[in-house]
Structure formats: structure tokens, C-alpha cells
Amino acid sequence: MVNEITGLRNIGFVAHIDAGKTTTTERILFYTKKIHRLGDVDEGTATTDYLIQEKERGITITSAAVSCYWKDHRINIIDTPGHVDFTVEVERSLRILDGLIVIFCGVAGVQPQSETIWYQADRYKVPRIVFVNKLDRVGADPFRVMAEIEEKFNCTVLPVQIPIGMEEHFKGVIDVVEQKKYLWDIDETGEQFRVEPVGSGEISEVRNNLIEKLSEVDEEIIRFVLDGKDVPTTLLKDAIRKATLSLKAVPVLMGSALKNKGIQPLLDAIVDYLPSPLDKGEVVGVYPRSGECITRKPLCEEPFSSVVFKILNDPHAGNILYTRIYSGTLSLNQRVLNASTGKIERVMRIYLLHADKKEPVKEAKAGEIVGIVGIKEVKTGDTLCDPDNPIFFEGMHFPEPLISLAIEPRTSKDEEKLNEALKTLQVEDPSFRVGKDRETGQLLISGMGELHLEVIIDRIVREFNVPVKTGKPQVTYRETISEEKVVEDLFEKDIATGKERGYAKVRLAPRGRGEGNRVTVNIEINHQMREYFINIAYESISFGPLMGYPVTDVEVQVLALGEEGPYTHLGNELALRRAIQRGLKEAKPILLEPVVLLEVISPSDYVGNIVSDIGQRGGELDKIENISEKIQKVKAYVPLKKLLGYVTDLRSLTQGRASFWMKLHHYAPVKKEKSILIN
């Protein structure tokens, strides 16, 4: 029997929309006997797409957690959305996962959201396996996809499988490592398959290529190659595992999830090549009071520590916190410290999660992903730990919303219900914001795109039973500064608690476009106070002087604060806020608008219409690529404001035969002639 922690795999499925993540997850659950009937995404019966909005639209909207067993290993799976509007679900899942399966369509290859996810995984240093899906489709070419991955991501791919047949003739794969053929031609479910030996010399070229690539990252393989000996299978597997865990290479497997081919070898690869919590090793945090670096090993004997990576409101249980336990053991009624808020609360219930189903358990151990209930004041990214051994892990950073719209209840009696619904949805979704228009006083909701807000509104009406009226979607702009400024402020005022006096000196400077904000405190103060004033500075640049939009690409350096004695803590805080706000006004602020990378895939006959339409929208054509003889891809950079409602316009331009995808690329100064069109 495999050790409990070494036999654990916490993995996620990530991909561009419609690459087959949920279908692959469904097959894995079926072949591991977790479910007894295959669900279908298009029919709305997939296990992990349990929201009514997911069933109706045939897409994944929220990440779902499921677990299963394969060859004495427990595999915890997070199935994530592929649509760019819900990329926050991928971000927070990557924060706590040990390994990834990145799925690519065998026809479309590397798509824009695939690139975004890959770079997110690089940032979190998550080892990954590639699964090239849909090899049964016309135009499928896994070798082209592997070449694209190597070229675009500058990584080494290890082709541990090659296909048997292609397109409608695809019937199985050859395992290059074990030199076996896997053929799915016994039954339609794919549960039964045949294994045959590989003929002499049939895959010698591919196997030699694999060994050559591995010899670049593993010295033991080099010795066998230099001695002219055949490399044993066990040594090859060990080398692939080492290369994967060290992020030096990526194994590539292939199949067709919809046609039930290639899934069992993928399960074997998850067990063989992806890390356990022990392989990932100790996690680093800081001691909350001093800021000193401390670590926790993924062992049950260590003090308890965990991160809340998702919050889901359950009408019966209340807020369920999806939690990754990094060390120690969590039991029912245990007191835990929220290191992010400093509050101690009690865990009332612990659940093993299977999509929308919950199984109560009495305890959870290091390495596990569970749902817990009982912690009231909590947000996504918070650290929960042993009160006697506190630790604080780095939180999560979420993108600012791109689109907003006005919302109000249809009747005044529903106003309170609407506010409660919005509060609940904000806790669940860190990329969803609620605010008020500073000029009109209207209630505004903001999200990552039109689809994101459509789903939010649908949930308000259906789940919370609040009929609402909404305005038209409007783009959320940004503000920045165009010159450097040093500002001082002296604050003096009698407040109820007494006389408050403060002093602050700050330097504000523009940063490169897309670099974001940065705050530094260049004075000698303790860690806790430093973090406090950094947060105050970030709050002070959360809205700009022009129209109150979020400020971006600005550096704030706190050069001086009033010393204790004549100066008070509150006085210094208020002086800092005023200095930053005045600095923003004096540093020549400018307005920025979001520009997106637009990709349209269309039959060649309509490409001329699409390019002409992009030009009329003020877009800049990047390139046109041939996907096949009759299908082309148009890439362009277009102001987001000009693409609101584009789905309807594109349908009319192409008779419904084109599809598009877009993601935020950069912010650009609003041109003078456009300034009168600002929302």
C-alpha cells in the first residue's frame, strides 16, 4: 500500500475554452469508478459542471473539486474554466495545486488562453503534463502542437506517446517508454482496451529522440547512451519524473476524451510523473509579528497551516471554505487563527468535496483539499493556522474588473435582498466588485467581461430570487500619471479623541505600461507598521483624481513620516493619504482605456468583412494565419469599448460561422477625440 501523503496527487485541469477539460475529467471519474455513468457537457450532465448556468451554456464557470483513486493513489482534481472572463478561478487554483494537466486541442493547438494559463503556471512553479486532445478531429496533428509548445513556451517537450492512426482512423496510442500499443477498439465506453507489443524498430526514432532529450537533463541517462546500452524503462520513467518536477521538461500524452481513448495512460502518467505534497517540499511563510521567514513541512506532525483558495455560499451550510492544508491536522471544533485578520475562530464542520456533493469527515491531514465551515470573517487567500504557532502565507492577487454596469432592484422592497446577494457574490468571487457611480449615485457592478456579468445577474435573479434592472455594459478605465512628483503634507486637526498631528513625504513616479503599482516604505519602522502604511498607500491609489477610476502603473515611495512625540499614528496616516492624493493631481494624470487582443477564427470567405469591421472599430490588425485550407485566424488589437456586443455583430458578419476570443493586452492613453465618449 502506498504511503498516505506520497500517494496523494493534487492536480488541476486547465486549457483554452472547448479544449476538453471537463470531458477529460468526466472520463477519469468514470474509469476510476467514482461515477457509474458518463456525463456529457453539451447535454448538461457533466459531474463538475453543476451550476444551472454551466448546464445551459455548456461551459465551465466555476472551478469544481473532485477526488478519485487510481492504483492506490488518491487524486484530488480541480476542473477549472477555460473562458477568459473566469480566469480568476484558474489563478486561485494554481496557488494551491501541486501539478497540472494542460490540455491542448489537437487541431487548434496553442490558443490564447492556453498561453495565459501556461505563464500563470510558470509564475507559481507548477510541474505539468500536456494532453493533446481531439485527435479524432479533421486536421488534428499532435506533432505540430508539440512544435508550437516548444516554440511559444521555450520548453522541452517529451513525447512519451505517439498516435496510432489519425482523425477518423485514430484508434489508440503507442507508449514510447514502455514500448506498448494501447488500442481502444473493444467497446464504446473505452473501459476495455487491448495492449500489444511494439514491432521491432517501429518507434526506434521517436524513442531515441526521447532519450536524447532526457540525456540533456539527466546524467544517468547520458552514461547509458555513451556506453551504447538500451536505457531501462524504470530509469526512463525516473528521468521523466525528475525532469517534470524540476520544470526542465514537459511529458506529452495524447488521445480523444470524447471518444474515450487515451485516458487510462493519462491516469498512469499522473501517478508516475506529477508530484505528491512531499515532492513539492516545505512551504515558506512569514511570522506575522516580525516578518521573519519560517517554513512548514507537509507532515501531520507539524503545526496546522492552510490557505483558503475559494469560498462558496451554500444555502444550508453557509460559507464553505475550499482549503488546502499544507501541514498538520485539522479536527472538528479545533480553534484556528486567521493570520490575515488576527482573529481566532472554531471549525464546526469539515467536508470532502465532490463537485456539489459534500461528505462530512472528522479530520483532514497535511496535503488534503477539503471544505470547512465555521470561520466567519474570511476572504479568498487568507491563511488559517495553529494559534500557538502562527504563520502567514502570501495571499493572492486578482485582476481589476474591465466592464461595469448599473443595477437596481425592480421594486424598492427588494433593495436589501439585492445588497445581501451582492455581498455574498463578492465574497465568492474576488474579481467581482460592487460600488457606486461618484456622479450619479447609481449602484455599479463590475467584472471581467460581458459573460461574467451576465452570469452574475442570472444568479441574482435565480438563486437569490431578486428581479433586477440593469444598464448597458460600460468599460472601466484606468488612470495613471505622466511625470514624477515629490509631495509633503502636514496634517493638524482636533478630532474627538484629541489633537492629531502628522507628516508625510512621498515620491510618485510613472512606471512602464503594464507594470502595475508598487509601494515602498524607505524609512526604519517595524515590519507590522511597514505593512500597515504600505496598505494605506495602496488604498490611496485605488481611485484617481480625474474620474475616480483605479490608478495603475504608478510607483509610490514613502520617504518620511512624522516621528513619535509631536506626531500621532492617525495623523501620519491622514497626512500620507493627503500627500498621495495631491501628488496624483499634480503629476499630470491621464486616462487609460483597455485594449484587447482579439482573435477571430472564421471561414476564409468572411475574413475580408472581419478585417474591414476591425478597422472601423479603431483596431490595429496584427496578422492573419491559415489554420487549414478554408479556415483562417485574424489577430488584432482593438479598444475594448468598441467590442461591447461584438458577439451579435460577428454573427451577422459571418452568418454565425465564426468564433472569437479576446483578452486584455494593455492599457493605452485615451485619444483626445475619444475623450467625449468616456462612460
Side-chain angles (χ1 to χ4, degrees):
M1 189 71 180
V2 178
N3 177 279
E4 215 168 353
I5 295 183
T6 56
L8 188 59
R9 300 288 182 272
N10 292 316
I11 64 162
F13 283 88
V14 294
H16 188 91
I17 191 169
D18 202 34
K21 296 177 304 302
T22 303
T23 303
T24 304
T25 305
E26 192 74 9
R27 269 58 185 170
I28 282 179
L29 295 176
F30 179 70
Y31 298 137
T32 57
K33 310 295 184 186
K34 189 71 182 184
I35 59 175
H36 303 289
R37 182 181 174 187
L38 281 171
D40 187 277
V41 173
D42 294 332
E43 292 175 6
T45 54
T47 305
T48 52
D49 284 353
Y50 57 85
L51 290 179
I52 186 70
Q53 292 81 7
E54 293 176 315
K55 294 176 184 291
E56 289 179 351
R57 296 167 191 265
I59 61 170
T60 303
I61 291 171
T62 183
S63 54
V66 291
S67 63
C68 57
Y69 287 87
W70 183 256
K71 295 185 176 177
D72 291 336
H73 286 69
R74 177 177 164 187
I75 304 174
N76 293 327
I77 300 171
I78 305 284
D79 179 31
T80 67
H83 196 285
V84 67
D85 281 18
F86 309 106
T87 192
V88 68
E89 293 285 340
V90 181
E91 181 80 20
R92 58 182 172 186
S93 298
L94 284 173
R95 169 67 178 78
I96 56 90
L97 290 172
D98 297 328
L100 279 184
I101 311 296
V102 187
I103 300 179
F104 292 92
C105 172
V107 180
V110 178
Q111 295 170 280
Q113 185 67 356
S114 317
E115 294 185 54
T116 302
I117 291 161
W118 194 277
Y119 295 130
Q120 283 175 309
D122 281 345
R123 191 166 72 249
Y124 287 107
K125 295 182 171 56
V126 185
R128 69 214 72 160
I129 287 174
V130 162
F131 182 68
V132 183
N133 193 24
K134 302 189 177 184
L135 294 193
D136 60 305
R137 296 279 185 92
V138 175
D141 184 351
F143 301 103
R144 173 176 54 81
V145 177
M146 284 189 277
E148 277 186 52
I149 292 169
E150 285 200 314
E151 180 188 344
K152 292 195 175 181
F153 303 133
N154 191 29
C155 70
T156 300
V157 301
L158 304 173
V160 296
Q161 291 179 350
I162 57 172
I164 300 173
M166 197 62 71
E167 300 177 346
E168 73 269 23
H169 303 298
F170 175 66
K171 56 184 179 179
V173 296
I174 296 177
D175 187 316
V176 179
V177 178
E178 295 193 341
Q179 302 183 78
K180 294 177 181 176
K181 291 182 181 179
Y182 290 83
L183 298 151
W184 284 267
D185 54 6
I186 298 175
D187 66 349
E188 286 187 2
T189 68
E191 202 167 1
Q192 304 295 320
F193 56 92
R194 291 187 295 121
V195 181
E196 295 180 356
V198 173
S200 175
E202 194 173 347
I203 58 165
S204 55
E205 187 179 339
V206 180
R207 187 175 167 85
N208 289 338
N209 178 38
L210 174 64
I211 292 170
E212 185 181 331
K213 286 187 173 186
L214 281 171
S215 67
E216 294 173 9
V217 295
D218 193 293
E219 291 181 4
E220 208 168 342
I221 299 286
I222 295 174
R223 285 198 290 272
F224 273 85
V225 172
L226 292 176
D227 293 342
K229 296 178 183 176
D230 187 36
V231 183
T233 298
T234 52
L235 182 57
L236 269 183
K237 282 192 171 184
D238 287 344
I240 293 169
R241 181 177 177 78
K242 282 182 204 169
T244 305
L245 300 194
S246 62
L247 303 178
K248 290 179 179 175
V250 181
V252 179
L253 293 91
M254 49 196 68
S256 169
L258 188 65
K259 300 295 184 182
N260 310 315
K261 296 178 173 71
I263 304 302
Q264 292 92 336
L266 177 60
L267 278 162
D268 289 340
I270 290 169
V271 167
D272 291 339
Y273 304 135
L274 288 182
S276 71
L278 280 177
D279 292 318
K280 289 288 282 186
E282 61 186 20
V283 285
V284 179
V286 297
Y287 187 63
R289 294 190 190 118
S290 66
E292 173 194 357
C293 276
I294 49 178
T295 60
R296 291 285 184 270
K297 294 177 182 174
L299 301 171
C300 298
E301 302 79 41
E302 289 271 298
F304 167 71
S305 68
S306 70
V307 167
V308 175
F309 68 95
K310 180 181 170 73
I311 301 173
L312 188 67
N313 181 260
D314 184 281
H316 306 294
N319 281 342
I320 298 176
L321 315 183
Y322 284 54
T323 308
R324 162 68 191 265
I325 300 176
Y326 283 104
S327 64
T329 302
L330 179 67
S331 306
L332 285 177
N333 295 315
Q334 183 172 321
R335 292 164 68 252
V336 298
L337 167 70
N338 184 337
S340 309
T341 65
K343 296 202 171 179
I344 295 176
E345 300 188 62
R346 198 177 293 277
V347 173
M348 306 306 293
R349 287 188 287 280
I350 305 172
Y351 295 113
L352 291 181
L353 302 165
H354 185 72
D356 57 338
K357 297 179 177 63
K358 305 181 293 294
E359 178 190 336
V361 292
K362 291 182 178 179
E363 67 174 19
K365 297 177 181 178
E368 292 194 80
I369 294 173
V370 294
I372 64 176
V373 174
I375 314 297
K376 291 174 183 167
E377 290 190 39
V378 65
K379 63 182 185 300
T380 302
D382 281 1
T383 302
L384 304 180
C385 59
D386 178 358
D388 297 325
N389 296 276
I391 189 170
F392 179 79
F393 295 126
E394 184 184 357
M396 302 180 197
H397 304 287
F398 302 109
E400 291 291 328
L402 298 174
I403 288 180
S404 60
L405 54 80
I407 187 171
E408 62 181 50
R410 289 198 174 272
T411 60
S412 56
K413 68 177 183 180
D414 286 330
E415 194 167 337
E416 194 174 330
K417 282 174 69 178
L418 175 60
N419 289 333
E420 283 300 313
L422 294 174
K423 200 179 294 182
T424 299
L425 291 168
Q426 270 189 290
V427 170
E428 284 190 7
D429 184 351
S431 64
F432 172 61
R433 309 285 168 82
V434 180
K436 284 206 170 181
D437 188 300
R438 295 173 67 144
E439 293 180 4
T440 65
Q442 282 182 303
L443 190 63
L444 294 177
I445 59 173
S446 304
M448 300 309 297
E450 290 181 272
L451 179 60
H452 186 196
L453 292 181
E454 278 177 30
V455 170
I456 290 283
I457 292 162
D458 194 43
R459 290 189 63 191
I460 290 170
V461 174
R462 291 194 191 190
E463 289 179 34
F464 299 93
N465 198 27
V466 183
V468 294
K469 294 186 286 186
T470 59
K472 290 183 178 178
Q474 296 181 323
V475 167
T476 300
Y477 289 81
R478 297 288 183 271
E479 296 182 28
T480 192
I481 57 176
S482 53
E483 69 176 32
E484 184 179 323
K485 210 76 182 172
V486 175
V487 182
E488 296 178 275
D489 187 87
L490 181 63
F491 178 87
E492 285 185 309
K493 194 170 184 181
D494 286 323
I495 301 181
T497 53
K499 189 176 183 67
E500 300 292 347
R501 193 166 190 265
Y503 169 77
K505 182 178 180 181
V506 297
R507 172 184 169 269
L508 281 80
R511 302 189 76 202
R513 200 66 68 234
E515 290 184 5
N517 297 324
R518 183 169 67 187
V519 175
T520 54
V521 176
N522 298 353
I523 53 177
E524 287 297 323
I525 52 175
N526 67 48
H527 174 78
Q528 205 163 3
M529 292 305 296
R530 183 182 299 276
E531 290 299 312
Y532 179 80
F533 282 110
I534 284 174
N535 288 334
I536 293 299
Y538 275 118
E539 282 178 24
S540 301
I541 55 174
S542 62
F543 58 93
L546 294 175
M547 302 185 69
Y549 287 113
V551 174
T552 190
D553 301 337
V554 170
E555 177 161 9
V556 179
Q557 288 181 334
V558 181
L559 302 176
L561 291 170
E563 295 182 6
E564 289 181 16
Y567 299 105
T568 63
H569 178 72
L570 178 59
N572 280 339
E573 177 188 325
L574 295 172
L576 179 60
R577 291 180 186 274
R578 291 204 316 188
I580 291 172
Q581 279 297 308
R582 198 167 85 249
L584 290 173
K585 286 179 186 174
E586 294 176 5
K588 292 192 178 174
I590 56 174
L591 204 61
L592 302 173
E593 67 175 336
V595 176
V596 299
L597 168 62
L598 172 71
E599 294 201 358
V600 184
I601 295 176
S602 165
S604 305
D605 296 347
Y606 303 104
V607 166
N609 293 345
I610 292 166
V611 171
S612 173
D613 179 68
I614 287 171
Q616 290 171 16
R617 294 172 189 268
E620 179 187 329
L621 183 67
D622 180 40
K623 59 183 171 182
I624 300 172
E625 298 175 2
N626 292 322
I627 290 181
S628 65
E629 286 183 15
K630 296 182 179 179
I631 303 292
Q632 290 181 303
K633 181 197 289 184
V634 178
K635 294 178 74 172
Y637 300 101
V638 188
L640 178 59
K641 184 180 179 69
K642 298 292 187 179
L643 290 174
L644 297 180
Y646 187 61
V647 62
T648 306
D649 297 339
L650 183 66
R651 195 177 292 133
S652 133
L653 277 172
T654 63
Q655 297 180 10
R657 297 179 63 194
S659 62
F660 78 97
W661 184 93
M662 60 183 173
K663 74 169 181 176
L664 176 66
H665 190 265
H666 66 278
Y667 283 90
V670 175
K671 295 176 184 175
K672 288 182 181 177
E673 64 266 26
K674 291 184 182 178
S675 60
I676 57 170
L677 300 175
I678 294 168
N679 301 328

